[in-house]
Amino acid sequence: MSAANSDHPTEIVFEPEFIAGLKDIYEEKILFNQWMGLRVESIRPAGILAHLAMKPELVGHFAYHRMHGGVISAALDAMGSLAVLAALGAQHMAELPAKRLERFARHSTIDLRIDFLRPAIGEHFTIHAEAVRVGARVGNARMEFRSADGKLLSTGTAAYLTS
């Protein structure tokens, strides 16, 4: 996944209040994300970077100590959602950060596809997500779930309601 999207020729810099608000929603207020231990490292209009550490509660296959597919799906869905909200926020920079954060209330997943390419075995994982298109009613995202050494383990695409 590219670090910068050609649709964003000049990088918009979000206010600390907007970034803190999005992190609070995705790391604390969504209790399932909190339970998983999902941590957002960066939020930019061009993409999201997050981390997830393995813990016993996330194991899906006890004999191989690999992560449960539902956890991978949930992490990819959450970060795809965040990527779309970030891109949507970039489209409305004239609004105050609090007003842009209110858009989360109307935001929901309407389609999700996950491809599991390799077992997620390890202690640390990264999630990259970027908005592919954000329209007036629907936003689309592409996501990647990688091992600590960068190996691609799962990919996802999703559509989210934006209004």
Side-chain angles (χ1 to χ4, degrees):
M1 239 175 221
S2 64
N5 187 329
S6 61
D7 293 337
H8 303 284
T10 54
E11 184 69 24
I12 292 170
V13 178
F14 290 131
E15 307 89 340
E17 176 186 355
F18 185 67
I19 291 173
L22 286 174
K23 280 188 173 188
D24 183 53
I25 290 168
Y26 281 87
E27 292 181 350
E28 303 300 329
K29 290 183 178 167
I30 299 175
L31 297 179
F32 189 74
N33 292 353
Q34 182 185 51
W35 175 82
M36 286 190 300
L38 194 58
R39 289 287 169 233
V40 178
E41 182 176 310
S42 68
I43 300 172
R44 297 182 8 250
I48 304 303
L49 176 62
H51 296 277
L52 187 61
M54 178 58 105
K55 59 183 184 174
E57 299 87 346
L58 304 182
V59 172
H61 195 293
F62 67 92
Y64 298 104
H65 196 69
R66 66 180 172 223
M67 188 171 285
H68 192 285
V71 172
I72 295 168
S73 295
L76 288 172
D77 182 25
M79 292 303 94
S81 166
L82 179 53
V84 167
L85 272 184
L88 190 61
Q91 291 177 357
H92 297 277
M93 289 299 289
E95 295 176 356
L96 293 173
K99 179 73 173 168
R100 280 180 275 145
L101 289 169
E102 287 176 12
R103 293 178 182 280
F104 179 79
R106 296 182 304 274
H107 189 66
S108 63
T109 306
I110 55 177
D111 187 50
L112 177 67
R113 176 189 169 90
I114 305 298
D115 291 312
F116 300 100
L117 308 173
R118 293 179 183 85
I121 299 171
E123 295 305 314
H124 300 281
F125 303 93
T126 59
I127 299 114
H128 300 267
E130 65 182 12
V132 177
R133 181 185 179 281
V134 178
R137 299 191 55 87
V138 175
N140 300 87
R142 179 176 38 225
M143 304 83 73
E144 296 179 345
F145 191 89
R146 294 183 176 268
S147 62
D149 65 0
K151 186 179 293 182
L152 185 61
L153 304 176
S154 297
T155 60
T157 56
Y160 301 93
L161 191 62
T162 59
S163 63

